[in-house]
Amino acid sequence: MTASVTAPFAAAPLLPAAQLPLTLMSLEHLALLTITGPDAAKYLQGQVTCDVQALAPEHYTLGAHCDAKGKMWSVFTLFALDGGFGWLQAADLNERQLPELKKYAVFSKLTISEDNNYTLLGLAGADARQALAVLFSRLPDADAPCVSSDHCTLLWQAQPQERFTLLVPHTELSRMLDGLQQAAPSYNNHQQWLALDIEAGVPQLSAATCNEFIPQALNLQALDAVSFSKGCYAGQEMVARAKSRGANKRALYTLAGHGHTAPQAGDSLELQLDENWRRTGTVLAAALLQDGQLRVQAVLNNELDSNAHLRVVGDSDSSLHPVALPYSLE
């Protein structure tokens, strides 16, 4: 395995969390940005939806970066890294989003840049914690979900099962992969991690859906990714107005069922209305599992009936229905 560490792992059949053996995934769909300098926290506080200055040590937060109308350029994960901040987001967002994030940075003492010094990996499945415990002197958990350990940074997620994001310096990669081989993991590419994110209800924003939605349409208010008390940031007025006036009519849903093909980000679905079908919603991500099960993350009307029947456009044999998220939108 160490002979091909610089390449993404080969694609393998996708499994739901409950059936996943110990699996190491290459997260080639993500990009790491670093924000460093004495004004980093202050600058980000005025740019993003989350409360950067309230971010506790050894924690991370989801957040959104919006335009003046409250439409999201990106959804990201923010955490402490090397005296500054690490920022993970979908790599295909960088071309449009990064210039927007840097737009006013010239007036502050900070540097925002893409960081290619790490390999991004995900570990999930049976005995993931035990496998990592052999390699790292400390692991993250619910009390400290982001830790630096043995030159690496590890992020912990509870849903849909315990799993870990690993930021591994290139100089440490061979050592880590050699150590994990003793636990005999399976290997897969980012599509397996994406399937787990869909199952966990973690919003997936990509180039195909960039700048279309306000944060509430992706349930970010339910994931502590939006602060309504921190003060001004880009798009804050529109995001606050959607909350106070109940103006947002959309929400993120996880849909489960079966189908022959997985829809693409930006596609619509079809909703059954009596004997007819009507196009609706926007697909954010989808995963077709090895047994034909289909999982779709989509933005739909927030009054969607829990018994609604949907299907993939162009796949009349497909069938999808909403399933419960692991968090509350109340």
Side-chain angles (χ1 to χ4, degrees), residues 81-297:
L81 181 68
D82 295 335
F85 294 96
W87 170 307
L88 289 174
Q89 66 180 19
D92 67 0
L93 292 172
N94 283 9
E95 184 176 356
R96 294 182 65 187
Q97 182 269 342
L98 195 50
E100 296 296 327
L101 184 62
K102 291 180 175 181
K103 185 177 290 185
Y104 304 105
V106 66
F107 304 110
S108 300
K109 296 178 181 179
L110 77 160
T111 300
I112 302 171
S113 60
E114 297 182 61
D115 192 327
N116 297 312
N117 295 313
Y118 296 85
T119 297
L120 306 178
L121 301 171
L123 187 72
D127 300 322
R129 177 170 291 273
Q130 292 88 327
L132 288 178
V134 177
L135 294 170
F136 296 102
S137 56
R138 188 180 176 206
L139 298 179
D141 54 25
D143 294 325
C146 175
V147 302
S148 295
S149 183
D150 301 280
H151 309 292
C152 300
T153 297
L154 293 79
L155 310 181
W156 174 87
Q157 289 175 256
Q159 299 293 342
Q161 62 176 7
E162 183 174 59
R163 54 186 174 133
F164 302 86
T165 302
L166 313 174
L167 281 70
V168 184
H170 298 323
T171 54
E172 297 292 321
L173 187 58
S174 294
R175 177 189 67 83
M176 202 209 74
L177 289 176
D178 287 343
L180 274 179
Q181 279 187 325
Q182 299 178 25
S186 300
Y187 295 89
N188 209 333
N189 68 3
H190 74 283
Q191 292 292 338
Q192 178 63 70
W193 190 261
L194 181 65
L196 297 177
D197 272 348
I198 293 171
E199 200 171 340
V202 178
Q204 304 297 305
L205 196 70
S206 62
T209 51
C210 173
N211 210 218
E212 290 190 20
F213 303 107
I214 64 172
Q216 291 96 320
L218 269 62
N219 301 353
L220 288 175
Q221 78 286 355
L223 294 167
D224 297 323
V226 181
S227 171
F228 293 102
S229 60
K230 60 172 269 189
C232 294
Y233 57 86
Q236 181 265 340
E237 183 178 348
M238 302 304 295
V239 175
R241 184 180 300 172
K243 176 180 185 293
S244 62
R245 298 184 181 180
N248 176 56
K249 301 301 180 184
R250 294 185 284 190
L252 179 147
Y253 288 84
T254 297
L255 308 172
H258 62 268
H260 298 299
T261 59
Q264 300 299 305
D267 287 353
S268 298
L269 297 171
E270 290 182 328
L271 173 67
Q272 186 173 25
L273 298 172
D274 297 322
E275 299 301 316
N276 300 310
W277 294 87
R278 185 187 73 186
R279 289 210 178 197
T280 188
T282 303
V283 172
L284 298 183
L288 186 61
L289 308 185
Q290 70 169 4
D291 58 0
Q293 293 183 68
L294 181 60
R295 299 289 183 268
V296 176
Q297 183 179 98

Side-chain angles (χ1 to χ4, degrees), residues 54-61 77-80 141-147 155:
L55 182 60
E58 300 192 333
H59 283 69
Y60 64 85
T61 182
T77 301
L78 187 73
F79 51 93
D141 54 25
D143 294 325
C146 175
V147 302
L155 310 181

